Amino acid sequence: MEPMAAAPIEEYGLLGDTRTAALVDAGGAIDWCCVPGFDGEPLFGRLIGGPAAGTFRAGPAGPATLVARRYRRHTATLETTWATGAGRLTLTEGMVAELGGRLLPATVLVRRLSAEAGPAQAVVEFDPRLGAGHRRPRVRQDGAGVVCEWGSLAVSLAGDPALALRPGRPARVTVAPGRPLTLVLAVAHREPLVRVDPAAAWDLLVADESRWRVWCAGIDPSLPFREAVVRSLLTLRLLTHSPTRAPVAAPTTSLPEDPGGVRNWDYRYVWPRDASIGVGAFLGVGRLDEARGFLAWLLHASRLQRPRLPVLLTLYGRPAPRERRLPGWPGYAGSVPVRVGNGAADQHQLDGYGWVVDAAWLLERAGQRLYSETWRAVRGFADLVARRWPEPDAGIWEIRGDPRHHVHSKLMGWLTLDRALRIAEAHPLSARRRRRWEHARDALAAEVRTRGFDAPRSTYVRSYGSADLDAALLVLPLLGIDDDRSPRVRGTVDAIRTELSAGGPLLYRYPPGQDGLPGTEGAFLPCSFWLVQALARTGRRPEAVALFRDLLGRAGPPGLYAEEMDPATGAHLGNYPQTLTHATLVQAALAIRDFPPGDLVAAPRTGS
């Protein structure tokens, strides 16, 4: 079977309600949406499942030219405008994020088609197919629209003016100026399906926009490149699951790092490492509630496995399902296998403890004293690191091979102990435990400086005994194990920038072809933002600003980023939008602000 022609990943816009998300292409087709949550079954899955997996399109019925695509400023509402033969057709759409205390479905998606300068011919194609088997629904019609049912799940679609809708059968409609077509999709799971009038749904969306604008107004107004940073923070918030306050790594599975290849993974789970980086991003702009929410989730989620910190968990803090392949799914651009679940869940990754304990330290430093239960968890993490740091681990990049003594992991182990000791200055800790942590921290630092450093090249390396470099070492200036302007730190930053360069501001995570998987991968975008951060912190702010501007110009049209980028074409690769990329973008901007602070000419708006 020939793979379906795929829209570029970066052209998709994100619609979200902090419970699930939808990806919509530049033609108005929602090609990915899972229900009832981020990690649920796909309701519309054409993005990786082909036409049989379903879509929900609202857009021009015939030839049209894309004129503009943007989010309404400081909101999660997306607008797409096309030029048609008689005038212009605009699709305005979003999900309603705040539904607490009202008799409404858990998910309300609102889409409005409006015309200017003349009538426009539009099409509505509603073709929901649930899950791995593309299950068709049981359908019933009523006066307001159509209801689709799959056991405990029900979905309704209604229009104003009313449309004769049947799943899988496109409906053509003429949209006249001043007479928009409003569509409302409602989803109910294990609860009664509440029908929402389209006009009332539009009012809900408008009210939701006001709440997002208020949320954005509370973000530090002194931020450089503020519009791009606000868009990233909005994206991070949309990808934070409001019932549990857990940030999902991405709302998608199996978008390829190597189109046509096998590097396709499921990211619809929570990585404590990535989430901890998001904590730093929110704290840096004064959003304390989001930071506290993650640590509260982590305490609950890790309680059964503590002091072991799982590599990833479900949104509800359970072990991630075993990795399996979906037979018959053609994949994005023919990239197979399509996977659900994640096989990295059982790995030992030492670095995660450092990110989490550092997030706790940042919260404490921000004046948010840790609860006794949080401090108990931190003590357990530090005890485990003090005991296990001499062991090899899987490393941050989750390479599916034999464990190694990864230098980045050792450095983050040092960070765990150092930050735990700092927190202990304001919390009870026995003298014996303190000595054990101090001894482990000092021994770890001595070993990594000896075995993990290549003196002739003046750089830390990827693992003991290796000459390869690792772009994750760009976080070195953040740690404090060496002075951030020392020859060791600067030498490492310069070596990575040179030896792992993919052109311009782009970097590979490690030397291509060094992970035991077939095929290649793109440049890893979080590493580029780490480079910006490292340059700013090591006294090279003009270079940091120049690289940051370049990276902002590489966002997709809606202002979003995937995990990776093809250095040759600029195409985005991997799951999208990626929490880690957006969190590191924010932290790079914070470093430009803080090392040292100064005025900047605002960059052009990027999708905000």
Side-chain angles (χ1 to χ4, degrees), residues 299-563:
L299 281 178
H300 171 77
S302 65
R303 70 195 186 285
L304 297 180
Q305 299 187 56
R306 221 180 287 158
R308 177 181 177 269
L309 180 66
V311 173
L312 64 140
L313 292 159
T314 69
L315 297 169
Y316 288 92
R318 302 186 184 99
R322 294 184 64 182
E323 188 172 289
R324 62 188 179 91
R325 302 178 176 191
L326 297 184
W329 282 58
Y332 176 90
S335 306
V336 291
V338 170
R339 293 181 170 95
V340 294
N342 198 294
D346 296 326
Q347 290 184 347
H348 168 51
Q349 296 180 16
L350 190 68
D351 76 287
Y353 298 89
W355 292 111
V356 168
V357 175
D358 187 54
W361 158 243
L362 290 173
L363 199 62
E364 176 93 6
R365 192 176 66 175
Q368 305 296 304
R369 183 175 173 83
L370 302 183
Y371 295 125
S372 59
E373 177 64 17
T374 308
W375 175 227
R376 186 179 299 114
V378 168
R379 291 200 308 267
F381 295 151
D383 285 341
L384 183 144
V385 170
R387 184 176 71 253
R388 296 193 64 181
W389 74 262
E391 302 173 14
D393 81 325
I396 184 174
W397 304 128
E398 300 177 354
I399 293 170
R400 302 186 181 194
D402 294 333
R404 299 182 186 181
H405 291 285
H406 292 94
V407 173
H408 173 262
S409 297
K410 306 293 186 185
L411 291 170
M412 297 305 291
W414 179 92
L415 185 71
T416 305
L417 298 164
D418 181 77
R419 298 309 190 255
L421 285 163
R422 296 189 190 196
I423 296 171
E425 294 174 5
H427 293 269
L429 186 71
S430 70
R432 182 178 179 182
R433 210 173 206 169
R434 183 186 300 274
R435 287 194 299 271
R436 185 165 70 248
W437 290 359
E438 289 174 342
H439 174 75
R441 181 189 62 178
D442 296 344
L444 203 163
E447 180 179 286
V448 79
R449 286 181 178 132
T450 302
R451 300 183 63 190
F453 189 73
D454 185 337
R457 295 158 68 202
S458 190
T459 181
Y460 285 98
V461 292
R462 184 179 178 188
S463 60
Y464 293 171
S466 170
D468 291 345
L469 300 184
D470 182 351
L473 294 170
L474 288 168
V475 302
L476 186 59
L478 286 62
L479 309 185
I481 191 171
D482 287 315
D483 182 270
D484 60 12
R485 301 194 185 189
S486 71
R488 282 175 174 260
V489 172
R490 284 188 168 228
T492 300
V493 172
D494 288 341
I496 291 170
R497 190 178 184 184
T498 300
E499 296 187 32
L500 294 182
S501 174
L506 302 180
L507 295 172
Y508 294 110
R509 293 186 282 184
Y510 40 74
Q514 297 294 314
D515 57 13
L517 289 171
T520 60
E521 65 171 11
F524 200 74
L525 287 168
C527 295
S528 294
F529 289 112
W530 277 339
L531 176 58
V532 172
Q533 192 175 15
L535 290 171
R537 294 184 71 112
T538 55
R540 300 157 73 175
R541 190 167 179 274
E543 294 175 68
V545 170
L547 282 181
F548 196 75
R549 289 185 186 278
D550 192 336
L551 288 165
L552 292 186
R554 296 170 187 256
L560 306 177
Y561 293 85
E563 181 181 41

